[in-house]
């Protein structure tokens, strides 16, 4: 016996591209149905949804298609056009957690990801800051 069992990446555990796509669809359904966080998003949810799929794929160990298309993620910068307060960050995390539960992601995998997601979401809070609010669209950032 060796302990060299092949390690399964979080990307695999989340069901690879298809699983992540289904997770993001589930998350967006929840956002869409919750007025206080829906109000933070633009009318058309589709472009952001597709970007979140690509970002999460890359972030969980899949192919870096997000960065090939849009450059460096610079997530805090990319969120400046949207006014995000503590409440929105809390709702974002709640809906993502519930989407993971609904998709049947194992509790330990969801927790492993949340250890990194929770500080990232708090870092996105910008409501009381004087930051540039102009839309960035599909800009490639360095
Ligand atoms: C803290 C609460 C958050 C709120 C309220 C929020 C809200 C938003 C909004 C309104 C957009 C723009 C959607 C569009 O352009 O159609 C967006 C884009 C995006 N968000 Fe968040 N977000 C939050 C946290 C996060 C976190 C924690 C992540 C990382 C896992 C993330 C990843 C992304 C990505 C990758 C995009 C697309 C960026 C781009 O390329 O333009 N967001 N988010």
């Amino acid at each position: 016996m060796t302990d060299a069992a092949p390690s399964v990446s979080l990307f695999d555990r989340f069901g690879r591209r298809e699983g992540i796509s289904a997770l993001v669809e589930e998350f967006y359904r929840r956002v869409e149905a919750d007025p206080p966080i829906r109000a933070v998003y633009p009318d058309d949810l589709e472009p952001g949804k597709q970007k979140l799929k690509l970002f999460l794929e890359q972030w969980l160990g899949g192919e870096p298609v997000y960065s090939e298309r849009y450059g460096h993620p610079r997530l805090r910068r990319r969120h400046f056009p949207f006014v995000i307060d503590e409440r929105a960050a809390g709702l974002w995390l709640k809906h993502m957690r519930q989407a993971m539960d609904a998709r049947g992601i194992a509790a330990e995998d969801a927790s492993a990801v949340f250890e990194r997601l929770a500080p990232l979401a708090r870092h996105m809070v910008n409501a009381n800051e004087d930051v540039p609010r102009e839309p960035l669209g599909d800009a490639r950032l360095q």
Side-chain angles (χ1 to χ4, degrees), residues 2-141:
T2 85
D3 59 1
S7 70
V8 179
S9 70
L10 279 170
F11 177 65
D12 289 316
R13 290 177 173 282
F14 274 67
R16 305 180 71 83
R17 182 166 288 178
E18 277 176 22
I20 291 167
S21 173
L23 171 68
V24 171
E25 294 289 339
E26 187 75 47
F27 168 76
Y28 261 83
R29 269 196 289 280
R30 287 156 197 274
V31 166
E32 200 167 7
D34 188 4
I37 188 164
R38 176 66 185 87
V40 179
Y41 282 77
D43 288 347
D44 184 2
L45 291 175
E46 209 52 41
K49 189 197 286 184
Q50 298 312 324
K51 287 175 174 174
L52 183 58
K53 289 180 185 179
L54 292 178
F55 174 79
L56 287 178
E57 255 180 66
Q58 166 173 329
W59 196 64
L60 292 172
E63 288 181 35
V65 179
Y66 180 89
S67 286
E68 283 162 19
R69 280 194 201 162
Y70 305 113
H72 193 292
R74 303 220 179 283
L75 283 185
R76 189 171 146 73
R77 175 72 187 88
R78 286 192 206 265
H79 284 76
F80 283 169
F82 309 96
V83 180
I84 299 176
D85 58 14
E86 291 283 347
R87 181 188 189 197
L91 290 173
W92 194 102
L93 289 166
K94 181 182 92 169
H95 292 309
M96 185 55 83
R97 186 79 198 206
Q98 289 181 352
M100 287 184 195
D101 289 347
R103 291 295 310 153
I105 304 289
E108 64 267 30
D109 294 332
S111 296
V113 167
F114 258 73
E115 266 178 40
R116 293 194 285 150
L117 262 189
L120 194 55
R122 307 286 167 208
H123 182 59
M124 237 56 91
V125 172
N126 60 29
N128 297 316
E129 291 171 58
D130 184 17
V131 294
R133 301 286 182 187
E134 300 78 43
L136 285 169
D138 288 343
R140 267 192 83 89
L141 300 181

